[in-house]
Amino acid sequence: MSMITDYITKTQTAIGDITSIESSIQDFANVCIEALSHGNKVIFCGNGGSAADSQHLSAELMGRFLKDRAPLAALALTVDTSALTAIGNDYGYEQVFARQLGGIGHTGDVLVGLSTSGNSANIVNAFHKAKSMGILTVAMTGHRASALSTLADITIYAPSDETNHIQECHITIGHLVCKIVEEEMFP
């Protein structure tokens, strides 16, 4: 088997196993619909590739996914380099998301943390902050229990233990949620 065939097979297996978490994906979409329907927002955070996925999913909601429609209130805490570097410098990198959430989050919002390990300190701290503010939390992690999975209101376990395949599952799951949200809110 070639390296390409092996990689594609692993990706297909991981993404194919998403059907085993269908109810969690629907729960994730439902809390987003509930928040957005009541004038609240969906806030994303992650590190590295998960930061990029946070921005990507936020843009799908704010802009459009598959149909032209009104914008949906969504943002990623990963995009303001001045805030990230100032907070990181003054309070430590582990506070970069919690501090921002404290300034812009409100009861009724949804915080989505993407972390392949589920143990990223800055996301864990943001989840603690979210809990204290009445913000619902959704963790998107790998398939193992983690600090985030114990804190989250909803955990989406990507069915893989390889970072790259977890990230491929996360973007697929995120796209599914965007599709459900868009179809339900703009039939």
Side-chain angles (χ1 to χ4, degrees), residues 13 54 60 62-63 70 85 105 107 110 112 116 131 134 137 141 145 147 149 151 153 161 169 187:
T13 299
S54 294
E60 299 288 25
M62 184 63 79
T85 57
T107 300
V110 175
V112 182
T116 58
K131 294 290 185 187
T137 56
T141 69
S149 67
L151 286 171
D153 295 300
D161 60 1
C169 289

Side-chain angles (χ1 to χ4, degrees), residues 30-134:
N30 290 345
V31 298
C32 290
I33 292 166
E34 178 74 14
L36 294 165
S37 295
H38 288 93
N40 295 102
K41 59 195 164 296
V42 180
I43 303 167
F44 295 88
C45 61
N47 296 293
S50 296
D53 290 343
S54 294
Q55 291 172 236
H56 179 152
L57 295 173
S58 166
E60 299 288 25
L61 292 174
M62 184 63 79
R64 65 184 294 263
F65 183 59
L66 295 174
K67 59 170 76 171
D68 287 326
R69 40 105 178 133
L72 296 168
L75 62 108
L77 299 177
T78 57
V79 298
D80 187 340
T81 54
S82 294
L84 291 170
T85 57
I87 295 165
N89 186 61
D90 295 347
Y91 298 97
Y93 187 69
E94 63 280 352
Q95 296 301 321
V96 295
F97 300 137
R99 185 84 178 167
Q100 290 182 79
L101 188 66
I104 63 167
H106 297 284
T107 300
D109 289 343
V110 175
L111 176 65
V112 182
L114 288 80
S115 173
T116 58
S117 70
N119 294 309
S120 301
N122 55 4
I123 302 173
V124 169
N125 287 335
F127 272 42
H128 284 295
K129 183 67 172 177
K131 294 290 185 187
S132 75
M133 297 175 68

